[in-house]
């Protein structure tokens, strides 16, 4: 049995924030898995679901981000679920927006939700689904914490349904195949064949026509900023 936890902050004020993408993902997973209605317990909202062919539990801690462990630990204990069967979905500054990556174990990288879970559970040996939100652009005014506690912009919101589907696909793959197999599939990058690589190489060497449309500039990011949670 898996315990799938989406991290976020409770309340309408935070509902659309980047920091709440874990909450959004659990809600998407609940709809896709036709989970039971969410109920209040473990200082959070939880639901039973069938993930693939396996029973599972979905949880949204209502403790605020930096106390997430106070919700996760009693849920693990109640359902007698080992930490290795815990899957935590969280926002990740160090991945570009839209990237979804699986990771098992490791540190908290300054994410206060992970920090709290590790403190209460007593280990970092659990699965994470890291949902990239990117770092703030050079023109962003405020701290990194202000960035994650701000809403997705219009372009990002238009992409969220596809990103949340990637997240739910990843969780269902973990349930069906186990974490290692799911990670090998989901974290793999498709490799270009020789023909495609040659075409790209030739395209880079070819002069651009004078009337070609300029590529859209990508916003720069501020390197080296410390990762902060709520």
């Amino acid at each position: 049995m898996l315990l799938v936890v989406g991290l976020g902050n409770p309340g309408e004020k935070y509902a659309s924030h980047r920091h709440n993408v874990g909450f959004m993902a659990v809600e998407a997973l609940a709809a896709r898995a036709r989970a039971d209605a969410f109920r209040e317990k473990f200082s959070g909202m939880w639901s039973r679901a069938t993930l693939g062919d396996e029973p599972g539990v979905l949880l949204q801690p209502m403790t605020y981000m930096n106390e997430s462990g106070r919700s996760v630990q009693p849920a693990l204990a109640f359902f007698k679920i080992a930490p290795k069967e815990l899957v935590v979905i969280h926002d990740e500054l160090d991945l570009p927006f839209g990237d979804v990556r699986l990771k098992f174990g490791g540190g908290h990288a300054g994410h206060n939700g992970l920090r709290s879970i590790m403190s209460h559970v007593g280990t970092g040996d659990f699965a994470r689904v890291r949902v990239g939100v990117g770092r703030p652009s050079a023109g962003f005014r405020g701290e990194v914490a202000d960035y994650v506690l701000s809403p997705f912009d219009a372009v990002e919101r238009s992409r969220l349904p596809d990103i949340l589907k990637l997240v739910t696909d990843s969780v269902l793959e973990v349930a069906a195949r186990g974490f290692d197999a799911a990670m090998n599939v989901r974290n793999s990058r498709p490799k270009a064949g020789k023909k495609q690589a040659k075409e790209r190489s030739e395209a880079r060497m070819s002069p651009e026509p004078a009337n070609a449309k300029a590529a859209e500039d990508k916003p720069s990011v501020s390197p080296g900023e410390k990762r902060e949670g709520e």
Side-chain angles (χ1 to χ4, degrees):
M1 178 184 287
L2 294 181
L3 173 62
V4 182
V5 178
L7 297 187
N9 288 306
E12 190 62 30
K13 174 182 176 181
Y14 300 100
S16 63
H17 289 179
R18 294 176 173 90
H19 223 20
N20 271 43
V21 73
F23 273 19
M24 298 174 197
V26 161
E27 289 162 4
L29 184 58
R32 185 169 174 181
R34 298 181 180 178
D36 295 342
F38 279 87
R39 290 166 278 178
E40 188 173 353
K41 193 169 182 158
F42 316 117
S43 300
M45 300 299 294
W46 74 280
S47 172
R48 291 186 185 271
T50 301
L51 305 176
D53 295 325
E54 299 295 325
V57 176
L58 311 180
L59 177 67
Q60 295 174 314
M62 293 290 145
T63 54
Y64 289 96
M65 183 68 79
N66 58 2
E67 293 288 347
S68 298
R70 288 201 298 107
S71 176
V72 174
Q73 189 278 327
L76 286 172
F78 181 86
F79 291 106
K80 297 180 172 58
I81 298 174
K84 66 181 181 180
E85 302 299 323
L86 168 64
V87 179
V88 178
I89 307 170
H90 65 91
D91 59 302
E92 178 57 70
L93 281 165
D94 292 328
L95 288 177
F97 174 77
D99 271 18
V100 176
R101 309 285 279 176
L102 298 179
K103 178 182 178 182
F104 190 90
H108 52 69
H111 192 291
N112 284 342
L114 295 178
R115 188 199 309 270
S116 176
I117 292 171
M118 292 170 67
S119 174
H120 284 81
V121 174
T123 180
D125 290 338
F126 52 84
R128 300 100 185 273
V129 182
R130 306 160 67 214
V131 186
V133 296
R135 286 188 172 270
S137 67
F140 182 82
R141 295 184 179 181
E143 302 295 327
V144 173
D146 299 319
Y147 174 72
V148 295
L149 291 173
S150 65
F152 289 105
D153 64 33
V155 173
E156 291 169 337
R157 286 197 302 274
S158 71
R159 292 183 56 194
L160 270 178
D162 290 337
I163 294 165
L164 296 177
K165 183 178 184 301
L166 283 177
V167 176
T168 59
D169 285 347
S170 298
V171 174
L172 292 174
E173 189 112 41
V174 171
R177 305 180 61 182
F179 186 82
D180 289 342
M183 185 171 65
N184 288 338
V185 171
R186 291 287 156 184
N187 287 1
S188 295
R189 301 294 190 190
K191 295 181 180 179
K194 292 182 179 179
K195 181 179 179 181
Q196 291 89 339
K198 181 180 179 182
E199 288 173 350
R200 283 207 289 265
S201 177
E202 289 172 349
R204 283 196 298 269
M205 291 186 292
S206 300
E208 187 180 52
N211 62 348
K213 183 180 178 181
E216 183 180 356
D217 290 337
K218 294 182 179 179
S220 59
V221 297
S222 303
E225 289 183 303
K226 184 179 178 181
R227 171 72 190 259
E228 296 182 20
E230 156 64 7

